[in-house]
Amino acid sequence: MAITYNNLYLDIRKKLRQADAADPTLEARELVCFATGKTREELFRDGGLYLSPELEKQVWDLVQRHLDGEPVAYLIGEWEFYGLPLDISPDVLIPRPDTEVLAKLAIDYCNTLPECRALDLCAGSGCVGLALAAHAPHSRVVLGDISEGALRICRQNIRRSGLSGRVVPMRINAMEKPNANLGEFHCIVSNPPYIPSGDIPGLEPSVRDYEPHLALDGGEDGLEFYCAITQLWKDALLPGGRLYYEVGIGQADTVLRIMRAVGFGDIQVEKDLNGIPRVVYGTLCTEV
């Protein structure tokens, strides 16, 4: 029997809720929109119209793939971060709401400067650096990542966001000392791999089986990137510049000590939306 768009959306939302989906309302809407080729506004407008059986099957096939573990962002090829719609692929992590805390802190800092040159290191989709560029109009941003697949997504998102004039992607290995030709930055932000290698097999299947391990694996203790970046990349900061990190659960105090040991001061820890210490940032002392 034929079903309306609105009733199909409600049925899918109920099914996702029963499956303990993270956000059944958002996920149901995005899946229906993508599978039917409608925008959110069109879905609302056409809610009382009926779908063809073929189109209904197409929607449910996509829903089943999600119920089998495939993340919605990879199914539809995009996700939103800090108000920016971004291209997403299995070459990059799916942006999380908690990471918006990292972006906001860096944006607020860059907006206190007359001009700001910033580096998003381990950029992935480029979500943090692009949010910074979009909301700090006097900033210029480099998106650095070692993955060619990630850099391809960065390029797409730079164009999509209309930021080609102020944002550039570059192949950069965060575990190596920066080339002097890269210049200096007022601000470095990084959401590096921070999952201990031994914990990866125990991650929820939607992360373990679909998201890129290159962007997850932080070495034996999960701290390899923090140690390397803090030591190797401090010389790429201007005196008085800021380094911002997203950190994993239970890592904030250790990362704070790593930063303090190499000359960062005024180190702060900020909590995420769930009250978990999620961002550690500090200022490079001018006497170092």
Side-chain angles (χ1 to χ4, degrees), residues 171-182:
R171 188 177 188 278
I172 295 175
N173 186 347
M175 301 292 280
E176 295 180 355
K177 192 173 180 65
N179 190 308
N181 293 334
L182 192 58

Side-chain angles (χ1 to χ4, degrees), residues 70-124:
E70 197 165 349
V72 172
Y74 294 150
L75 286 168
I76 68 175
E78 66 175 23
W79 208 242
E80 189 172 292
F81 181 83
Y82 218 92
L84 293 175
L86 300 173
D87 289 356
I88 299 296
S89 84
D91 288 311
V92 300
L93 294 182
I94 299 165
R96 265 73 170 179
D98 290 336
T99 302
E100 293 193 0
V101 179
L102 174 68
K104 183 182 186 306
L105 289 167
I107 289 166
D108 288 347
Y109 170 66
C110 289
N111 276 329
T112 67
L113 305 174
E115 62 176 5
C116 180
R117 186 165 188 260
L119 168 64
D120 180 0
L121 197 53
C122 304

Side-chain angles (χ1 to χ4, degrees), residues 195-243:
I195 306 296
S197 302
D199 290 354
I200 289 179
L203 295 175
E204 60 179 271
S206 64
V207 177
R208 181 195 64 217
D209 298 339
Y210 293 95
E211 302 210 46
H213 286 200
L214 181 67
L216 295 170
D217 193 340
E220 185 176 355
D221 60 1
L223 299 169
E224 284 187 2
F225 281 81
Y226 299 114
C227 292
I229 293 170
T230 308
Q231 180 64 50
L232 298 174
W233 286 82
K234 65 183 179 69
D235 290 339
L237 276 172
L238 289 159
R242 289 264 185 93
L243 173 60

Side-chain angles (χ1 to χ4, degrees), residues 4-6 38 41-51:
T4 65
Y5 283 94
N6 190 55
K38 289 187 178 294
E41 293 75 18
E42 289 169 343
L43 179 64
F44 178 78
R45 182 195 68 196
D46 298 339
L49 301 181
Y50 288 90
L51 294 83

Side-chain angles (χ1 to χ4, degrees), residues 233-262:
W233 286 82
K234 65 183 179 69
D235 290 339
L237 276 172
L238 289 159
R242 289 264 185 93
L243 173 60
Y244 290 82
Y245 283 127
E246 177 171 322
V247 300
I249 295 174
Q251 293 177 330
D253 287 344
T254 305
V255 172
L256 184 152
R257 290 193 293 270
I258 290 169
M259 294 177 69
R260 181 179 291 153
V262 299

Side-chain angles (χ1 to χ4, degrees), residues 84-88 118 120 123-134 139-145 149-171:
L84 293 175
L86 300 173
D87 289 356
I88 299 296
D120 180 0
S125 64
C127 62
V128 175
L130 288 166
L132 197 162
S139 63
R140 291 170 293 129
V141 180
V142 175
L143 305 180
D145 205 287
L151 290 173
R152 181 174 62 253
I153 295 297
C154 282
R155 286 190 286 270
Q156 292 173 203
N157 284 329
I158 291 169
R159 290 193 296 271
R160 182 171 185 173
S161 303
L163 293 167
S164 299
R166 292 191 291 112
V167 183
V168 296
M170 293 185 67
R171 188 177 188 278

